[in-house]
Amino acid sequence: KQKVFISLMLVGYTNCLNKEKIMGKILCFTVGLLLSACAIMPSSEALNGEWLPEEIGGSPFTAQASLTFDGTQQLLSSYAGCNRLTTRYSADNGKLDFGYTSSTRMACDPEHSEAEHKISQVFVQAERFGIQDGKLLIKDGQGNVLLRAVKSS
């Protein structure tokens, strides 16, 4: 009887240890998931400053352009060599929303006009943003990267 009781105690103890290991793994997984969610969803302050577009729509963007986010006024100003585009924005937890865009109306050469058009299309399609490896990623609702930019030094 004692051998059976001791065997049952050992089996119970082993099961208890296994449950603790499983609970520990679940806890570690949950903490990791929460921390990764925080890293994925940057605050609006992460946008502040001047960004230089490197890629739009998956293609290299070679025009000299800049996007300047002013978090105090929630204002984005863009310049690609001819006209200045300005829009209000709201950003929170990785979500991004642009208001109506206003622009100066100067006649531009085709290269500058095309660059401005590409940037303005990003404003229309954008729904999310993230910072990855120090680069700004503006994304559509499906998570496709519309624009990739590097912070100006």
Side-chain angles (χ1 to χ4, degrees):
K1 289 183 179 182
Q2 275 187 331
K3 288 182 183 179
V4 172
F5 179 74
I6 291 173
S7 295
L8 287 174
M9 280 182 40
L10 288 174
V11 168
Y13 180 72
T14 304
N15 284 340
C16 187
L17 284 179
N18 287 337
K19 287 179 184 174
E20 286 178 12
K21 287 180 183 177
I22 291 170
M23 291 305 289
K25 287 179 183 179
I26 290 172
L27 179 63
C28 288
F29 175 77
T30 303
V31 169
L33 188 62
L34 289 172
L35 289 175
S36 68
C38 291
I40 291 170
M41 294 186 214
S43 68
S44 61
E45 290 85 32
L47 291 171
N48 285 341
E50 183 179 36
W51 296 87
L52 309 175
E54 294 182 322
E55 182 182 294
I56 293 182
S59 299
F61 187 75
T62 57
Q64 294 293 321
S66 66
L67 304 172
T68 305
F69 288 87
D70 179 345
T72 306
Q73 296 183 25
Q74 297 287 285
L75 196 64
L76 168 63
S77 177
S78 171
Y79 183 72
C82 187
N83 288 299
R84 183 163 301 281
L85 306 173
T86 306
T87 183
R88 295 238 177 245
Y89 73 92
S90 61
D92 190 36
N93 290 327
K95 293 181 182 177
L96 182 62
D97 185 43
F98 293 113
Y100 292 106
T101 302
S102 62
S103 173
T104 56
R105 309 279 276 166
M106 295 189 289
C108 306
D109 62 63
E111 181 183 331
H112 289 114
S113 291
E114 183 181 346
E116 290 170 358
H117 178 72
K118 287 180 179 180
I119 290 171
S120 68
Q121 287 303 299
V122 169
F123 296 166
V124 171
Q125 298 172 12
E127 292 187 28
R128 307 201 64 70
F129 76 99
I131 308 292
Q132 183 178 359
D133 299 326
K135 295 188 180 190
L136 170 63
L137 305 177
I138 296 179
K139 304 174 183 181
D140 65 14
Q142 288 74 45
N144 300 309
V145 176
L146 302 170
L147 180 140
R148 184 182 317 270
V150 65
K151 190 99 176 203
S152 177
S153 47

